[in-house]
Amino acid sequence: MVVGILGGGQLARMLALAGLPLGLRFRSLDPSPEAVAGHVGELVVGAYDDPRALQQLVRDAQLVTFEFENVPVAAVRWLQDHVAVAPGPEALAVGQDRVLEKQLFASLGMAVPAWQPAASRAELLAAVRTVGTPCIVKTRRLGYDGRGQVRFAAGPILDSAIDAAWQELAADAARGGLIVESFVPFDRELSVLAARSRAGEVAIYPLVENLHQGGILRRSRAPAPDVPPAIVATAHQFVRAVAERLDYTGVLAIELFLCGDRLLANEMAPRVHNSGHWTIEGSVCSQFENHLRAVLGLPLGSTAMAGGGVATMVNLIGALPERDALLGLPGVHVHAYGKASRAGRKLGHATVVGADRVAVDALAARVGELPAAPSGDWNFVG
Amino acid sequence: MVVGILGGGQLARMLALAGLPLGLRFRSLDPSPEAVAGHVGELVVGAYDDPRALQQLVRDAQLVTFEFENVPVAAVRWLQDHVAVAPGPEALAVGQDRVLEKQLFASLGMAVPAWQPAASRAELLAAVRTVGTPCIVKTRRLGYDGRGQVRFAAGPILDSAIDAAWQELAADAARGGLIVESFVPFDRELSVLAARSRAGEVAIYPLVENLHQGGILRRSRAPAPDVPPAIVATAHQFVRAVAERLDYTGVLAIELFLCGDRLLANEMAPRVHNSGHWTIEGSVCSQFENHLRAVLGLPLGSTAMAGGGVATMVNLIGALPERDALLGLPGVHVHAYGKASRAGRKLGHATVVGADRVAVDALAARVGELPAAPSGDWNFVG
């Protein structure tokens, strides 16, 4: 059985690594001939809306799913006419647009940070005034890992700051609009991941605590330590409500802010998510396997913790650590994606599992302290 | 970094699935265009001693290793002249020949079942007389999964039985000789697997208890329950002694018989081994990853139990179980190799890990009780 994936990066690669033991085969569509999903299956190189590339993707494929949500709507429509597609177009549309996301969350009674849309300089000024400072201006669409964002510090709103923000984001505003979000003084960033099957069965992973720096996820810990049961219950309600409203199929991630005893929904991803990579070793059934089980109509696997009950994942960004030093840390599970080094690029991750939170975190911290690998140490092409 | 593998079956496939997250890429050489390692890397189709195929295999590969040991010596010699090869030729030569194996074991003070070589009908008769009945006649070379074996029941040795055995095995005898082995009335079958690094570091997995039927492994349990510490220590001595004598690099498996309080060495495999498949979920670092770490000169991973401390693996032979029934058993890790069904063929395995031996075995037993999948249920080509 061939599964098609729009996108050929590390998420597609890990989907394939999880699906091959189920007897599945994979074909990815990606604009880059270097896309790393090509290491574990067929790679179709082309634009996401290139009809010939799409045709090649669906040939003998029984289903197409997504590595990321920012694919052209026209491409999704074309796919739907030719093959089973999951998750569905509504979930993708919401996942592509921060305004639709916020509206969906609000309609489900989920608390969200104050926000306002903006499509012009005047609207931007008004929106920043309404939301108040500190706040963040983001693109409505295609925002990814901290790109296309401008922050306004606490204090008075200067015209020059509005000008500067507008200059940076005007092109984005013209393409799809902007959104101004209150900069929430959160205590912690959390995320909740769930798999929902075709039949509507929902399996929720333990809550995750995330640490971002520079807009990029650095570390995830599961289960998120010391979260009151009421907050966990609210997170579960959130992900279940969104999944049910969208009649969602697959793995769904919602990023959350914990502010005192309030849980706010930040954004969702209609796909497997970086904050769920720890599930490969830390869960009975990983997010990757469960996404495939869900979209293919197979029984969901267990989302219970495995490996001792505690997991910490560290992203490897920009450069991998020295190879022998990393592999020499006993109990560290290494995932190198086979990508060439580049500043800010996610090149891999490492996961530690165990029974003791302090020991697991201490070992994970050692990963972060390793020196960067010299060029050629991991010997990747590129 | 490209790793070449001689052989493209499920062992090569699982080596690749373990090595891809280390940033490795794989190329297998196999006579069959259907070889399943082609799902996770490049597949060179050709005979093991075809110079053009070997040339293709080693192109830009930094190392060649083996999925199985029965490769022509000439091919190994050719490879050694062109690329790093591990494990070494002496280990392969011993692994290919039951007589060399027994001699090696004996020279290291390891107890072995009584045995005699035989190359003619007269020698066969003499060997059966010396060894006594019950006994098994095997080919010295290329024996695999119960093929090429004839048994003599307890009791007097009939000329007609010798005739029948000779008729069946004469061609094998002409190729490489036969060996007659005493049929050991063992209490249990065990195996011990170890990884030895280039630097001579040895990491030993917990002892495994195996159940064979019809010469094919059906079930493995680790750690082998209720084995006295002295027996465990002897098994460790065995595998360490063999690995050191052969200056071995990679994962090495030795199959053992436990007879009362005596541990006998039956045979060795200079490669990853079916009785170590449970290590994927049941160990911190699987036999597949540790084999790659060893042959590439990387630090070895931990061979400690993970996943609760107890593991049971069940082979899926001849036909896979009903797909949804199998995937619907919570906590069962499914490994379908993507091979077409055929009587007696290893099509996959399933592993259960946990903390409770009785519960783990009960769940594993349910896998064995599932009805066979109807044709097309797993939807493989072939």
Side-chain angles (χ1 to χ4, degrees):
Chain A
M1 189 186 295
V2 174
V3 174
I5 305 177
L6 247 72
Q10 64 264 24
L11 300 183
R13 192 178 193 262
M14 287 187 275
L15 281 168
L17 286 170
L20 280 152
L22 301 182
L24 304 171
R25 307 284 294 275
F26 293 85
R27 185 183 302 127
S28 280
L29 169 58
D30 197 284
S32 166
E34 305 296 323
V36 293
H39 303 171
V40 289
E42 210 180 318
L43 178 66
V44 179
V45 179
Y48 293 125
D49 53 2
D50 173 353
R52 272 191 309 186
L54 289 168
Q55 197 88 54
Q56 242 181 297
L57 179 68
V58 304
R59 178 181 59 78
D60 81 358
Q62 306 207 353
L63 177 118
V64 167
T65 188
F66 303 88
E67 182 197 52
F68 73 123
E69 58 274 30
N70 294 309
V71 288
V73 172
V76 178
R77 285 211 195 99
W78 187 94
L79 286 171
Q80 283 191 289
D81 290 341
H82 291 79
V83 69
V85 175
E90 197 186 344
L92 288 170
V94 171
Q96 286 182 3
D97 187 326
R98 292 176 200 278
V99 168
L100 294 185
E101 243 173 39
K102 295 282 191 292
Q103 289 170 339
L104 172 70
F105 293 165
S107 76
L108 292 166
M110 297 160 60
V112 295
W115 65 276
Q116 286 290 315
S120 66
R121 189 194 176 285
E123 284 181 20
L124 178 63
L125 177 60
V128 173
R129 281 193 179 136
T130 306
V131 169
T133 57
C135 66
I136 306 179
V137 191
K138 299 175 177 174
T139 58
R140 268 182 75 159
R141 296 166 175 281
L142 274 173
Y144 192 67
D145 279 346
R147 297 172 212 160
Q149 301 194 355
V150 171
R151 291 178 182 226
F152 284 84
I157 301 158
L158 301 175
D159 250 24
S160 59
I162 295 286
D163 281 339
W166 182 247
Q167 196 161 358
E168 181 159 347
L169 298 172
D172 290 312
R175 264 201 298 277
L178 304 175
I179 182 170
V180 179
E181 296 176 6
S182 171
F183 185 80
V184 179
F186 56 79
D187 302 311
R188 296 163 73 182
E189 295 174 281
L190 305 172
S191 60
V192 60
L193 285 85
R196 185 168 183 269
S197 74
R198 274 199 217 160
E201 183 194 354
V202 175
I204 306 177
Y205 287 95
L207 208 60
V208 187
E209 180 203 76
N210 300 311
L211 176 69
H212 287 82
Q213 281 166 4
I216 303 180
L217 180 65
R218 303 285 160 163
R219 194 194 67 191
S220 292
R221 304 198 298 168
D226 307 319
V227 176
I231 295 292
V232 174
T234 302
H236 285 206
Q237 282 165 23
F238 281 8
V239 76
R240 196 180 285 276
V242 171
E244 282 170 5
R245 171 69 67 86
L246 295 172
D247 194 16
Y248 191 83
T249 305
V251 163
L252 172 73
I254 302 181
E255 295 188 45
L256 307 160
F257 294 133
L258 184 58
C259 311
D261 59 357
R262 286 186 74 213
L263 191 66
L264 306 182
N266 179 30
E267 57 184 51
M268 60 170 260
R271 54 166 164 80
V272 290
H273 192 256
N274 195 168
S275 72
H277 290 1
W278 61 271
T279 61
I280 296 173
E281 292 87 10
S283 300
V284 174
C285 184
S286 77
Q287 65 164 345
F288 301 101
E289 182 173 338
N290 252 337
H291 182 76
L292 294 168
R293 285 174 175 245
V295 297
L296 291 167
L298 303 170
L300 295 182
S302 166
T303 51
M305 296 294 296
V310 169
T312 296
M313 183 228 53
V314 179
N315 267 341
L316 306 174
I317 295 169
L320 293 174
E322 280 183 3
R323 192 191 63 183
D324 286 11
L326 180 60
L327 294 174
L329 290 176
V332 172
H333 297 278
V334 175
H335 299 262
Y337 305 148
K339 293 161 77 173
S341 298
R342 190 193 305 154
R345 194 178 205 198
K346 291 177 181 172
L347 301 180
H349 73 269
T351 299
V352 179
V353 298
D356 179 58
R357 169 50 69 202
V358 173
V360 165
D361 284 349
L363 182 52
R366 289 182 63 190
V367 173
E369 291 156 8
L370 294 175
S375 168
D377 193 30
W378 289 80
N379 205 21
F380 296 135
V381 180
Chain B
M1 189 186 295
V2 174
V3 174
I5 305 178
L6 246 73
Q10 64 265 22
L11 299 182
R13 192 177 192 262
M14 287 187 275
L15 281 167
L17 286 170
L20 280 151
L22 301 183
L24 304 172
R25 307 284 295 276
F26 293 86
R27 185 182 302 126
S28 280
L29 169 58
D30 197 284
S32 166
E34 306 295 323
V36 294
H39 303 171
V40 289
E42 209 180 318
L43 178 65
V44 178
V45 179
Y48 293 124
D49 53 1
D50 172 353
R52 274 191 308 187
L54 288 168
Q55 196 88 54
Q56 243 182 297
L57 178 70
V58 302
R59 180 181 56 78
D60 81 357
Q62 305 204 354
L63 177 116
V64 168
T65 188
F66 302 88
E67 181 196 53
F68 73 124
E69 58 274 30
N70 293 309
V71 288
V73 172
V76 178
R77 286 214 191 98
W78 187 95
L79 287 170
Q80 283 190 290
D81 290 342
H82 292 79
V83 69
V85 175
E90 195 186 343
L92 289 170
V94 171
Q96 286 182 5
D97 187 326
R98 292 175 201 278
V99 167
L100 294 184
E101 243 173 39
K102 294 282 192 294
Q103 287 170 339
L104 172 70
F105 294 164
S107 77
L108 292 166
M110 297 160 62
V112 294
W115 64 276
Q116 286 290 313
S120 66
R121 188 193 177 285
E123 283 182 20
L124 178 62
L125 176 60
V128 173
R129 281 193 178 137
T130 304
V131 168
T133 58
C135 66
I136 306 179
V137 190
K138 299 174 177 174
T139 57
R140 270 182 72 159
R141 294 166 175 280
L142 276 172
Y144 193 66
D145 280 346
R147 297 172 211 158
Q149 301 193 354
V150 171
R151 290 177 183 227
F152 284 84
I157 302 157
L158 301 175
D159 249 25
S160 60
I162 294 287
D163 280 338
W166 181 248
Q167 194 161 0
E168 180 159 348
L169 298 173
D172 291 312
R175 263 201 298 279
L178 304 175
I179 182 171
V180 179
E181 297 176 6
S182 172
F183 184 80
V184 179
F186 56 80
D187 302 311
R188 297 163 72 181
E189 294 173 284
L190 305 173
S191 61
V192 60
L193 286 84
R196 186 167 183 268
S197 73
R198 273 199 220 159
E201 185 194 352
V202 175
I204 305 176
Y205 287 95
L207 209 60
V208 188
E209 180 203 76
N210 301 310
L211 177 69
H212 287 81
Q213 281 166 2
I216 302 180
L217 180 66
R218 304 286 160 163
R219 194 194 68 191
S220 291
R221 305 197 299 168
D226 307 319
V227 176
I231 295 293
V232 174
T234 303
H236 285 206
Q237 282 166 22
F238 281 9
V239 76
R240 195 179 285 276
V242 170
E244 284 171 2
R245 170 68 66 86
L246 295 172
D247 194 16
Y248 191 83
T249 306
V251 162
L252 171 73
I254 302 181
E255 296 188 44
L256 307 159
F257 295 132
L258 184 58
C259 311
D261 58 358
R262 285 186 77 214
L263 191 66
L264 306 182
N266 179 29
E267 58 186 51
M268 61 169 261
R271 54 167 165 79
V272 292
H273 192 256
N274 195 168
S275 72
H277 290 1
W278 61 270
T279 61
I280 295 174
E281 293 86 11
S283 301
V284 174
C285 184
S286 76
Q287 65 163 346
F288 301 101
E289 182 172 338
N290 253 337
H291 182 76
L292 294 167
R293 285 174 175 245
V295 296
L296 291 166
L298 302 169
L300 295 183
S302 166
T303 51
M305 296 295 295
V310 168
T312 297
M313 184 229 54
V314 179
N315 267 341
L316 306 174
I317 295 168
L320 292 174
E322 280 184 3
R323 193 192 61 183
D324 286 12
L326 181 60
L327 294 174
L329 290 177
V332 172
H333 298 277
V334 175
H335 299 261
Y337 306 147
K339 293 160 76 174
S341 298
R342 190 194 304 155
R345 197 180 202 195
K346 290 176 180 172
L347 301 179
H349 74 269
T351 299
V352 179
V353 297
D356 180 59
R357 169 50 67 204
V358 173
V360 165
D361 285 349
L363 182 51
R366 289 183 61 193
V367 173
E369 290 155 9
L370 294 174
S375 169
D377 192 30
W378 289 80
N379 205 22
F380 296 133
V381 179

